[in-house]
Amino acid sequence: ISRTQSTDTQSWREDYLEVDFKDPNRENLVAAVSIASPRLHKPAANPVAHPSGRPLRVVAVDVGMKYNQIRCFTKRGIEIKVVPWNYDFMAADEEPFDGVFVSNGPGDPTMVPETISNLRRALQDGSRPVFGICLGHQLLALAAGASTSKMK
């Protein structure tokens, strides 16, 4: 925002007000974009059956999920339960599921320690496949004990 329109050769910076810098990586951006409660999406195509007869179910941890990711599962006959970023999908009373998908999303992966903890438990359990993309992959790396750094 210009304070004055300078006509001499002074620095252009002197013509502008200082603006406070807000670092978005210091906020939990995932909490702002994740769903608030679990949502079940039934297969759009012929359901792929678990040996028990129920549809195969993938738990999708929403850390910024796009709707097309849901469509990609359901059109292939997979039931998908989309859960909030901090949802305890490993709880003893949780319904059975066959895999975990961690979506893409915004921000610094270290800002969601609850997600990392839940994923760590899923990895330690080792009874189901766990996979992610983008931020989801970074969260899996942190859950496995690796570290991440921001590229500059």
Side-chain angles (χ1 to χ4, degrees):
I1 302 170
S2 179
R3 284 187 285 170
T4 62
Q5 292 298 323
S6 177
T7 55
D8 57 20
T9 59
Q10 68 182 351
S11 168
W12 65 269
R13 184 176 167 87
E14 293 174 13
D15 288 342
Y16 294 87
L17 296 173
E18 289 293 320
V19 177
D20 291 333
F21 176 74
K22 181 179 176 185
D23 184 357
N25 289 313
R26 294 185 182 266
E27 297 176 29
N28 182 350
L29 299 176
V30 168
V33 299
S34 182
I35 63 171
S37 60
R39 192 172 305 148
L40 185 65
H41 298 269
K42 298 287 188 178
N46 294 332
V48 176
H50 181 271
S52 70
R54 66 171 172 77
L56 279 181
R57 177 182 288 178
V58 171
V59 167
V61 181
D62 178 7
V63 293
M65 193 167 196
K66 310 299 180 278
Y67 190 71
N68 191 49
Q69 294 164 340
I70 295 168
R71 283 194 304 261
C72 285
F73 282 103
T74 59
K75 82 175 188 180
R76 290 171 174 83
I78 304 298
E79 185 174 270
I80 184 164
K81 181 176 181 179
V82 181
V83 299
W85 66 278
N86 56 352
Y87 185 84
D88 184 5
F89 57 87
M90 293 298 292
D93 62 345
E94 186 61 24
E95 297 172 4
F97 61 94
D98 305 296
V100 178
F101 168 68
V102 191
S103 76
N104 57 325
D108 181 346
T110 62
M111 297 301 295
V112 289
E114 297 95 329
T115 307
I116 295 166
S117 176
N118 290 334
L119 291 172
R120 183 174 296 121
R121 290 181 18 239
L123 292 174
Q124 289 169 343
D125 176 78
S127 65
R128 302 169 189 95
V130 181
F131 59 107
I133 57 172
C134 204
L135 180 65
H137 198 192
Q138 294 174 61
L139 291 167
L140 287 171
L142 291 170
S147 61
T148 61
S149 61
K150 185 161 180 72
M151 295 179 67
K152 296 181 181 183

